[in-house]
Amino acid sequence: MKLLDQHLKDYLALRRGLGFKLRLADCLLRQFIGFAKDNRASRITTDLAISWATQPTTAQPAMWADRYRTLRLFAKYLSSLDVRTEVPPAGLLSQRRHRKSPYLYTDEEVIAVIRTASKLPSPKRLRGISLSTFFGLLAATGMRVGEAVALNREHVALSDGLLTIHHPKGGRTRLVPIHASTCLALHRYQRLRNRICPQPNSPGFFLTEQGTRFNPATIRSWFARVSRQTGLRGPADRRGPRLHDLRHRFAIQALLRWYRAGQNAEVHMPELSTYLGHRHVSGTYWYLSATPELLEEATRRWRRGKGGPKL
């Protein structure tokens, strides 16, 4: 009879063959295997699952629920191969994470972020222009941080006004059209980058002063510094507006443009969903948080539809 760790290898190989990446699941389930060995357990039981999932005891219940769901999927697979396996009941640890409300940047705040980033200390004059252009691209396209970091030079076709996003979240590749002003900003950056770093150590479009690709953690660290300098965060604040909130802003601005042009925003939602790289339109609705501008436009449309007085 196979051991749990052998079954885990087969399980991960099977699901990856279906297109799942399972980085977190791999890590969590290996932790469970170690926990089972420490407890001299050779099979999954509900009690064992709960004991493992609710560690560490100081973690948030949402984390316990994630661990429990991950193990439950493995147990369902294993139950067809080992009749001794107990599949933990659904819903025992079901608390989901609460998404943080997005910060909706004003135009002035976005401009301040870009300008401040351009003045960051930069011995070779590359860091400031790299980060300011990077932040500007996120604001102009609603791209994810990881997608912009992963851009290679061949993915940026400025003559066509297109970016190619490879292997984004969801496992698909998509084309992202960009505005002429965005093309101009990227072209300026590209020209300066090539002059400062003619022989880079990375194919990345955005480069550090060492000619390497930025990583998301470094990008967020510099953004936190810029946020403090622009007043988006206090001098000692460790939390505040996030880079990902620029994605919310992009989605809301798109919806406002459709409303103000008298177009049916509902009809255009699949377009926005595709542009942002969502598999389902439902994933896009999260970004459309209620704002005073959106509520005002929605009220205007409702009044026109009802024949009521105009605002």
Side-chain angles (χ1 to χ4, degrees), residues 103 109 221 223-241:
Y103 180 87
E109 287 171 336
S221 177
F223 178 73
R225 179 169 177 171
V226 169
S227 295
R228 295 185 185 100
Q229 293 180 7
T230 56
L232 288 169
R233 302 187 190 193
D237 288 350
R238 299 185 63 183
R239 298 180 183 275

Side-chain angles (χ1 to χ4, degrees), residues 7-20 22 77 80-81:
H7 281 299
L8 176 59
K9 291 179 182 179
D10 294 341
Y11 170 74
L12 294 173
L14 174 63
R15 294 201 64 199
R16 282 172 174 151
L18 296 174
F20 295 94
L22 303 177
Y77 160 82
S80 65
L81 304 173

Side-chain angles (χ1 to χ4, degrees), residues 62 64-73 93-96:
W64 294 346
D66 287 345
R67 289 160 64 89
Y68 185 81
R69 282 192 294 269
T70 300
L71 179 56
R72 187 173 181 275
L73 287 175
L93 299 174
S94 59
Q95 183 168 341
R96 295 187 177 274

Side-chain angles (χ1 to χ4, degrees), residues 99-169:
R99 291 187 175 186
K100 181 180 179 181
S101 297
Y103 180 87
L104 302 180
Y105 296 90
T106 65
D107 292 346
E108 292 75 18
E109 287 171 336
V110 173
I111 292 171
V113 165
I114 294 172
R115 287 178 175 171
T116 302
S118 69
K119 299 174 184 177
L120 287 170
S122 181
K124 295 183 180 179
R125 296 183 56 238
L126 184 57
R127 179 186 296 131
I129 189 65
S130 287
L131 290 170
S132 62
T133 307
F134 186 96
F135 297 153
L137 181 63
L138 296 188
T141 64
M143 291 172 63
R144 300 177 178 95
V145 173
E147 292 173 345
V149 166
L151 279 176
N152 286 340
R153 289 186 286 280
E154 67 268 22
H155 300 157
V156 181
L158 297 180
S159 58
D160 299 323
L162 286 174
L163 306 179
T164 303
I165 310 299
H166 285 282
H167 307 298
K169 184 178 180 181

Side-chain angles (χ1 to χ4, degrees), residues 4 32 42-50 68 71-80 82-90 92:
L4 280 175
F32 170 75
S42 60
R43 63 188 179 92
I44 298 176
T45 65
T46 299
D47 288 343
L48 186 70
I50 294 174
Y68 185 81
L71 179 56
R72 187 173 181 275
L73 287 175
F74 178 48
K76 289 177 69 175
Y77 160 82
L78 196 55
S79 65
S80 65
D82 186 346
V83 295
R84 303 176 306 151
T85 302
E86 293 181 17
V87 179
L92 284 185

Side-chain angles (χ1 to χ4, degrees), residues 272-283:
L272 180 59
S273 183
T274 299
Y275 190 90
L276 290 173
H278 291 144
R279 284 190 172 186
H280 305 289
V281 175
S282 58

